[in-house]
Amino acid sequence: MIPSQRPRVLLADDHRLVAEGLKSLLTAEFDLVGVVEDGLALVETARRLGPDVIVADISMPNLNGIEALARLRQDNEDVRVVFLTMHQEVAYARRAIEAGALGYVLKHSAPSELVTAIHAAMNGKSYVTSALAGDVLQAIKRGPEKGRSPVSLLTPRQREILQLLAEGHSAKEIGCSLSVSARTVEFHKYQMMEGLGIHSNAELLLFAVKEGLVTI
Amino acid sequence: MKRGLVTSRRLQCSVFSLLLAVASLGVWAGPKRVLILDPFGRDVAPFAAVAAAFRSTLARDLAEPVDIYDIPLDLARFAESDGEAPMVAFLEGRLKSHPVDLVVPIGVAGLRFAVRHRESLFQDTPILAVAPEPRFVPAGFPGNNATLVTYKVNLPAMVEDILQIQPDTKNIFVLFGASAHEKAWANECQREFQPFNNRVTVTFLNEPTLDQTLKRCSDLPPNSFIMHMLFIVDAAGVPCERNEALRRLHEVANAPIFGYYASEFGLGSIGGRLYPDSEIGARGARMAIRILRGEKAGTIAPQILEPTTPVFDWRELERWGISEARLPTGSIIQFRQPGFWQLYRWPIAGTVAFCLLQAALITGLLVNRSQRRQREAEATLISDISSRFVNLPGAEVDREMMDAERRICELLDLDISVVWQWSSGPPGCFTLTHYYSVKDGPQASVQLSDADFPWFRKIMLEKRIVPISSLKDMPAEAALDRENCQRLGIKSNLCLPLTLGGEPPMGILSLNTIRTERRWPSALVKRLQVVAQIFTNALARKRADQALRESEERITLAAEAAEFGVWVWNVAQDRVWGSDRWLELFGYQGHEEINFDKVIKRIHPRDRKGVEQDVERALANRNDYAGEFRTVLPDGTERWITSRGRVYNGAKGTPVRMLGTCVDITARKTAEDSLRASEELSRATFEQAAVGIAHVSTGGRWVKVNDRLCSIFGHSRDELLNLTFEDLIHPEDLGVELDHVRQLLSGQIQNYTVESRYFRKDGSTIWVVHTVSLVRSAAGASMHLISIVEDITQRKRAEAALRDLSGRLIRAHEEERARLARELHDDLTQRLARLAIDAGRVERGADGESSAETMRTVREGLVTLSDDVHALSYRLHPSVLEDLGLGEALKAECERFSRQGPFAIQVDLGELPTSIPPDRALCLFRVAQEAMQNAVRHAQARKIDVSVRALDGGLQLAVQDDGIGFDPALKRDHRSLGLASMRERVYLLEGELHIDSVPGQGTTVLVCLPLEGVPR
């Protein structure tokens, strides 16, 4: 292991103008080993050069930054990537962090945050641009989306449909009598079952009986 | 090459025809096959009744052909293991060539057989056990591909019932046959009857033969009861025909018989809680139908029928003196008394016979009348000879004749003139009918036996005229006649036969003198012959008149009974007589004078002329009259009348009267009118309809087509009638139509409407809306299809053009937005970023505080500008859709909406496919966006749920809100809510959009989008 004086950085951005601007920003503190302009080139070059940190845009031709990161992580779990992007949506940032990125910096904040983010990445720490940090943290804390929370109460429409179902009408008949499509009826039924944690028609019928929607 | 094409087309056609023929039978894969394992053969109760009910119910209710193999296993005669091998081998062969869809063992014996050989015979076939006694069902049955339906026998209850209805019963004799199955049952009985041992003695009869059993039963001790259970084979192994055995037992037994099977009830058993054998069979059949229609046998819960209600035979209760009060509560008593029909069978049959007789009588009289008419015509013709007797009414004949006699006598100086007649009195007698004596005047009638005047009788019958001036002139053979004449004081006599044509004389005109003898010159005789002839005619006419009048009276009576009105018009006197019914039909009261004019006035003005002409023509041509006309009654009601009449001619051939009948046909006329109107309407509808209409046979052949249909297809009527609809339909649309036709014929649907492509004669393709309905006869058999064809080719083209246009518009719009968004994002924001980066760098390297401050302001301005441009770009086209997929895009969109106000927006993403085509993702995204916008902007929703999940190889998006909703029927809302654009987007991708909204109850927008498929 040769201790390097300056971290080696690979830059991936298809916008030459921005890339040019970043070059001067990065070369001040880092060893810029290469600049690529699309996702595939990023994967290929990163494998070849093995930079310490990759600074990449998300929206890029051929392969976007997040997908490129996924491929790189197949070779090397610990690849360090800082995303530098125009996208201010939390979705991007969360997805980037979930994909294993260490940094998420907005382009126009680059002068003040990019260097910090790269250093943090060098140390294996995460850095999310201050504008989004709170939201991303919350989003990640919530974890991946789970199934919807059970609906405690049925809507009037659902009660109506449940009653008709329990009385033995088909979705088609119910659709006709409520002037909606059979598909809509099926959807309401599915939603009720899901919401109530019910898995069969029989249980649904039982529920309707218990609720007093029908008498048998 | 061309020939090959033609051949393949023909082949195709014949395949279609075949398919259609098959479709019309409602069969695609051949009939269902069901194997019934009948343990003891067809004649053994209760299994026979179970199997019969099963077979008939299945055949009736399945609504498709079913092939039922009924295999009698004959297990009673063979021990279970050794006798079965040939049967198993037979079944093996049979099932190999004809596999079955369901095996139905009957009874426990059948079930055991099925279970023993299931593996080798029908391992994977579902089994439905019918009527196996629950206590004998083998362990492990039914398992997962079988089920059963049965009834649980309650043995103690039988003894309890016997003891209840006949408390002093001391002995119960139980009858069982000798097969293994029956022995098993006998053992069960022995065991379960144990608790009653202290009350009754139970004896199991096991005499070697049926005859011996019967003998035994004829001589049972008092207070006995017979329990007739199973009797399949006797101890000698001879099978017993069940009903026969019960019948004989009932004949000889000196104790009541407790029978057990519902199917045998009424044959001599007293009744009780009957084993519902037919009901089990029927229930079994219904279960079988469920299995044959695809339900898994293992998922159908086994059924055990409820205990039955006790039923008793009234005749047996009477016979054995059992009080109804003793029967268990709720018992039903049958055969109590003969029904209405049995009681009144003979009166009803008598009435029917009477009606038939009356009809025959009317027919006979009508024939009779025509014969009389002939006779009357002859009589009136002859009567014309004498002016005095012309048109003389019958009633006046006698008077006129006697007057004539008087004048003859006065003129000729005769003493007595007598008319004798043969036919009007007892046989063998002359009856004096007209008498004139100068001395005494007219006299009452006298009867003389022709045996007293044999010679006179002889010459009169020979129609000879022998004037007798003196009795001495009479020949020797007339001795008896002479003697009798002397006794009467006759001096001279002239007898003239009253003879008509070749007939025997009807009588004699006898002219006599008693004071003196006189001569009879031949000229006088000739003149008197004319008188005799006149008399003959008059008498004949009188008789004919009488006969006719009697005949008319009878006709009138019969006619009135048949609701006919009878009328007689005396033409000469212009008087009309009508029967009561006729008076009623013409609205006359009582006995007013009626003439032809009055009758005509009652006829509808528009029919009058016709009736007058018809009557005139009938009179002129002496023809029969027939006509239909309306009468207008004084109260204004109108009636339709049909009338028939006949002209009766007088002596000179001039019409003297008409006789006829009238019938009220108003009801028929009204029905005819409405029928004609409705027929004309349907014909006009059919012929002049602006759509093509055809009657199509169930075989697909055009039976009747209208002009419009011909022009739609470009074929002539004759060409069309020689084609079938599948000759013209586009092959790709054939399947759908055939499927519908099959459902029509099987009664699943009443009609259907599809859009299909057809070929015109010139080879071009047309789009039609095809609506087909099935016309059934009253009996429910299908007759023909009514097919309505509307050419929608133009509409389709316009629609396609429109869809293409709106598709291109939406695409162009989206492409332009995406291009603009990319431009903004890839160029403008990047350039701004570059400026911001540069400004930042300068800011950090700035010398003075103030220039650093300036640069910071510049940089912050650039950042804000960049943010705004980015947001603009995002609104134009969400790049996140391509970058991170639909799920993330929706989440981002929901977050964006959440920031606009206090809405609780939940996103629920199911397992989505990894790659969703961009057009579909964009479509769902835009619909969701639009729906959320509506919820927030218009519906004042507080809570929105967005969900996407994979469904049926496609995607389902649902956006639900709790807002104020709207009425989907109002078009205005559709436009303002951008529903049209949602619908258009979804439709372009062959998806479905459903909007369910009720004012006050929120809105659900539901989109189902296939993942595959080319845009329409």
Side-chain angles (χ1 to χ4, degrees), chain B residues 246 250 261-271 274 311-313 315-316 334-335:
Chain B
L246 178 56
H250 180 245
Y261 300 110
S263 59
E264 291 179 330
F265 180 62
L267 297 176
S269 74
I270 198 158
L274 302 178
V311 184
F312 292 91
D313 189 332
R315 297 166 302 188
E316 291 303 307
Q334 289 200 348
F335 306 109

mmCIF file of all heavy atoms in Angstrom, chain B residues 246 250 261-271 274 311-313 315-316 334-335:
data_model
loop_
_atom_site.group_PDB
_atom_site.id
_atom_site.type_symbol
_atom_site.label_atom_id
_atom_site.label_comp_id
_atom_site.label_asym_id
_atom_site.label_seq_id
_atom_site.Cartn_x
_atom_site.Cartn_y
_atom_site.Cartn_z
ATOM 1 N N LEU B 246 -92.938 -56.790 -1.494
ATOM 2 C CA LEU B 246 -93.731 -55.999 -0.555
ATOM 3 C C LEU B 246 -95.219 -56.181 -0.834
ATOM 4 O O LEU B 246 -96.031 -56.308 0.071
ATOM 5 C CB LEU B 246 -93.334 -54.518 -0.672
ATOM 6 C CG LEU B 246 -94.114 -53.543 0.221
ATOM 7 C CD1 LEU B 246 -94.006 -53.945 1.678
ATOM 8 C CD2 LEU B 246 -93.604 -52.127 0.018
ATOM 9 N N HIS B 250 -97.833 -57.629 1.732
ATOM 10 C CA HIS B 250 -98.993 -56.848 2.164
ATOM 11 C C HIS B 250 -100.284 -57.652 2.024
ATOM 12 O O HIS B 250 -101.195 -57.556 2.805
ATOM 13 C CB HIS B 250 -99.071 -55.574 1.314
ATOM 14 C CG HIS B 250 -100.229 -54.683 1.653
ATOM 15 N ND1 HIS B 250 -101.244 -54.440 0.775
ATOM 16 C CD2 HIS B 250 -100.528 -54.000 2.786
ATOM 17 C CE1 HIS B 250 -102.131 -53.653 1.343
ATOM 18 N NE2 HIS B 250 -101.712 -53.364 2.572
ATOM 19 N N TYR B 261 -88.605 -47.319 2.888
ATOM 20 C CA TYR B 261 -88.066 -46.469 1.832
ATOM 21 C C TYR B 261 -89.142 -45.589 1.210
ATOM 22 O O TYR B 261 -90.225 -46.060 0.898
ATOM 23 C CB TYR B 261 -87.407 -47.330 0.755
ATOM 24 C CG TYR B 261 -86.286 -48.139 1.364
ATOM 25 C CD1 TYR B 261 -86.399 -49.501 1.511
ATOM 26 C CD2 TYR B 261 -85.168 -47.507 1.865
ATOM 27 C CE1 TYR B 261 -85.400 -50.231 2.124
ATOM 28 C CE2 TYR B 261 -84.166 -48.232 2.471
ATOM 29 C CZ TYR B 261 -84.279 -49.597 2.607
ATOM 30 O OH TYR B 261 -83.316 -50.304 3.208
ATOM 31 N N ALA B 262 -88.807 -44.345 1.066
ATOM 32 C CA ALA B 262 -89.776 -43.375 0.539
ATOM 33 C C ALA B 262 -90.313 -43.831 -0.812
ATOM 34 O O ALA B 262 -91.470 -43.655 -1.133
ATOM 35 C CB ALA B 262 -89.135 -42.005 0.409
ATOM 36 N N SER B 263 -89.446 -44.447 -1.623
ATOM 37 C CA SER B 263 -89.889 -44.839 -2.958
ATOM 38 C C SER B 263 -90.919 -45.950 -2.908
ATOM 39 O O SER B 263 -91.602 -46.214 -3.876
ATOM 40 C CB SER B 263 -88.680 -45.285 -3.781
ATOM 41 O OG SER B 263 -88.038 -46.348 -3.152
ATOM 42 N N GLU B 264 -91.045 -46.675 -1.763
ATOM 43 C CA GLU B 264 -92.000 -47.767 -1.677
ATOM 44 C C GLU B 264 -93.248 -47.368 -0.922
ATOM 45 O O GLU B 264 -94.172 -48.161 -0.779
ATOM 46 C CB GLU B 264 -91.363 -48.934 -0.928
ATOM 47 C CG GLU B 264 -90.251 -49.602 -1.696
ATOM 48 C CD GLU B 264 -89.651 -50.728 -0.923
ATOM 49 O OE1 GLU B 264 -89.660 -50.653 0.317
ATOM 50 O OE2 GLU B 264 -89.207 -51.669 -1.544
ATOM 51 N N PHE B 265 -93.237 -46.152 -0.413
ATOM 52 C CA PHE B 265 -94.371 -45.707 0.378
ATOM 53 C C PHE B 265 -95.628 -45.729 -0.487
ATOM 54 O O PHE B 265 -95.601 -45.317 -1.639
ATOM 55 C CB PHE B 265 -94.096 -44.292 0.881
ATOM 56 C CG PHE B 265 -95.219 -43.731 1.721
ATOM 57 C CD1 PHE B 265 -95.562 -44.353 2.912
ATOM 58 C CD2 PHE B 265 -95.913 -42.616 1.309
ATOM 59 C CE1 PHE B 265 -96.582 -43.836 3.675
ATOM 60 C CE2 PHE B 265 -96.928 -42.106 2.069
ATOM 61 C CZ PHE B 265 -97.267 -42.724 3.271
ATOM 62 N N GLY B 266 -96.704 -46.256 0.059
ATOM 63 C CA GLY B 266 -97.941 -46.347 -0.709
ATOM 64 C C GLY B 266 -98.190 -47.727 -1.258
ATOM 65 O O GLY B 266 -99.244 -48.010 -1.782
ATOM 66 N N LEU B 267 -97.181 -48.597 -1.122
ATOM 67 C CA LEU B 267 -97.360 -49.940 -1.660
ATOM 68 C C LEU B 267 -97.843 -50.918 -0.598
ATOM 69 O O LEU B 267 -97.920 -52.111 -0.842
ATOM 70 C CB LEU B 267 -96.037 -50.457 -2.253
ATOM 71 C CG LEU B 267 -95.489 -49.660 -3.436
ATOM 72 C CD1 LEU B 267 -94.146 -50.221 -3.862
ATOM 73 C CD2 LEU B 267 -96.457 -49.714 -4.581
ATOM 74 N N GLY B 268 -98.057 -50.450 0.582
ATOM 75 C CA GLY B 268 -98.554 -51.384 1.591
ATOM 76 C C GLY B 268 -97.938 -51.181 2.956
ATOM 77 O O GLY B 268 -98.421 -51.729 3.947
ATOM 78 N N SER B 269 -96.886 -50.365 3.006
ATOM 79 C CA SER B 269 -96.314 -50.142 4.319
ATOM 80 C C SER B 269 -97.105 -49.030 5.020
ATOM 81 O O SER B 269 -97.766 -48.226 4.372
ATOM 82 C CB SER B 269 -94.847 -49.748 4.200
ATOM 83 O OG SER B 269 -94.765 -48.433 3.741
ATOM 84 N N ILE B 270 -96.973 -49.020 6.347
ATOM 85 C CA ILE B 270 -97.768 -48.069 7.104
ATOM 86 C C ILE B 270 -97.139 -46.676 7.089
ATOM 87 O O ILE B 270 -97.802 -45.672 7.217
ATOM 88 C CB ILE B 270 -97.967 -48.612 8.529
ATOM 89 C CG1 ILE B 270 -99.125 -47.908 9.213
ATOM 90 C CG2 ILE B 270 -96.704 -48.452 9.359
ATOM 91 C CD1 ILE B 270 -99.697 -48.726 10.341
ATOM 92 N N GLY B 271 -95.814 -46.663 6.864
ATOM 93 C CA GLY B 271 -95.120 -45.379 6.801
ATOM 94 C C GLY B 271 -94.139 -45.216 7.938
ATOM 95 O O GLY B 271 -93.662 -46.198 8.494
ATOM 96 N N LEU B 274 -89.334 -42.056 6.754
ATOM 97 C CA LEU B 274 -88.908 -42.783 5.567
ATOM 98 C C LEU B 274 -87.497 -42.385 5.139
ATOM 99 O O LEU B 274 -87.077 -41.244 5.298
ATOM 100 C CB LEU B 274 -89.895 -42.526 4.437
ATOM 101 C CG LEU B 274 -91.311 -42.931 4.773
ATOM 102 C CD1 LEU B 274 -92.243 -42.593 3.632
ATOM 103 C CD2 LEU B 274 -91.394 -44.421 5.072
ATOM 104 N N VAL B 311 -94.240 -39.866 7.641
ATOM 105 C CA VAL B 311 -95.355 -39.871 6.704
ATOM 106 C C VAL B 311 -96.102 -41.185 6.885
ATOM 107 O O VAL B 311 -95.468 -42.232 7.071
ATOM 108 C CB VAL B 311 -94.839 -39.782 5.254
ATOM 109 C CG1 VAL B 311 -96.001 -39.693 4.302
ATOM 110 C CG2 VAL B 311 -93.941 -38.592 5.078
ATOM 111 N N PHE B 312 -97.423 -41.138 6.914
ATOM 112 C CA PHE B 312 -98.189 -42.379 7.101
ATOM 113 C C PHE B 312 -99.255 -42.530 6.035
ATOM 114 O O PHE B 312 -99.755 -41.564 5.492
ATOM 115 C CB PHE B 312 -98.845 -42.399 8.493
ATOM 116 C CG PHE B 312 -97.823 -42.522 9.593
ATOM 117 C CD1 PHE B 312 -97.280 -41.393 10.177
ATOM 118 C CD2 PHE B 312 -97.362 -43.750 9.997
ATOM 119 C CE1 PHE B 312 -96.318 -41.505 11.160
ATOM 120 C CE2 PHE B 312 -96.406 -43.865 10.978
ATOM 121 C CZ PHE B 312 -95.879 -42.747 11.573
ATOM 122 N N ASP B 313 -99.530 -43.798 5.738
ATOM 123 C CA ASP B 313 -100.522 -44.131 4.719
ATOM 124 C C ASP B 313 -101.871 -44.274 5.417
ATOM 125 O O ASP B 313 -102.076 -45.148 6.244
ATOM 126 C CB ASP B 313 -100.108 -45.441 4.046
ATOM 127 C CG ASP B 313 -100.975 -45.737 2.843
ATOM 128 O OD1 ASP B 313 -102.141 -45.297 2.815
ATOM 129 O OD2 ASP B 313 -100.493 -46.417 1.937
ATOM 130 N N ARG B 315 -104.680 -45.332 4.411
ATOM 131 C CA ARG B 315 -105.394 -46.593 4.202
ATOM 132 C C ARG B 315 -104.916 -47.663 5.173
ATOM 133 O O ARG B 315 -105.703 -48.456 5.706
ATOM 134 C CB ARG B 315 -105.145 -47.068 2.761
ATOM 135 C CG ARG B 315 -105.704 -46.078 1.747
ATOM 136 C CD ARG B 315 -105.191 -46.331 0.363
ATOM 137 N NE ARG B 315 -103.723 -46.283 0.302
ATOM 138 C CZ ARG B 315 -103.036 -46.326 -0.828
ATOM 139 N NH1 ARG B 315 -103.645 -46.440 -1.972
ATOM 140 N NH2 ARG B 315 -101.725 -46.261 -0.819
ATOM 141 N N GLU B 316 -103.583 -47.636 5.414
ATOM 142 C CA GLU B 316 -103.057 -48.644 6.336
ATOM 143 C C GLU B 316 -103.480 -48.338 7.769
ATOM 144 O O GLU B 316 -103.795 -49.226 8.545
ATOM 145 C CB GLU B 316 -101.533 -48.693 6.237
ATOM 146 C CG GLU B 316 -101.037 -49.247 4.911
ATOM 147 C CD GLU B 316 -101.560 -50.641 4.615
ATOM 148 O OE1 GLU B 316 -101.413 -51.542 5.459
ATOM 149 O OE2 GLU B 316 -102.189 -50.828 3.575
ATOM 150 N N GLN B 334 -100.984 -39.383 4.132
ATOM 151 C CA GLN B 334 -101.249 -39.342 2.699
ATOM 152 C C GLN B 334 -102.298 -40.370 2.315
ATOM 153 O O GLN B 334 -102.639 -41.244 3.096
ATOM 154 C CB GLN B 334 -99.953 -39.604 1.927
ATOM 155 C CG GLN B 334 -99.009 -38.423 2.054
ATOM 156 C CD GLN B 334 -97.977 -38.414 0.953
ATOM 157 O OE1 GLN B 334 -97.836 -39.376 0.238
ATOM 158 N NE2 GLN B 334 -97.261 -37.316 0.829
ATOM 159 N N PHE B 335 -102.736 -40.278 1.077
ATOM 160 C CA PHE B 335 -103.751 -41.176 0.492
ATOM 161 C C PHE B 335 -105.044 -41.123 1.296
ATOM 162 O O PHE B 335 -105.729 -42.110 1.455
ATOM 163 C CB PHE B 335 -103.249 -42.628 0.458
ATOM 164 C CG PHE B 335 -101.911 -42.767 -0.232
ATOM 165 C CD1 PHE B 335 -100.778 -43.046 0.500
ATOM 166 C CD2 PHE B 335 -101.800 -42.598 -1.599
ATOM 167 C CE1 PHE B 335 -99.552 -43.182 -0.134
ATOM 168 C CE2 PHE B 335 -100.581 -42.717 -2.218
ATOM 169 C CZ PHE B 335 -99.453 -43.013 -1.482
#
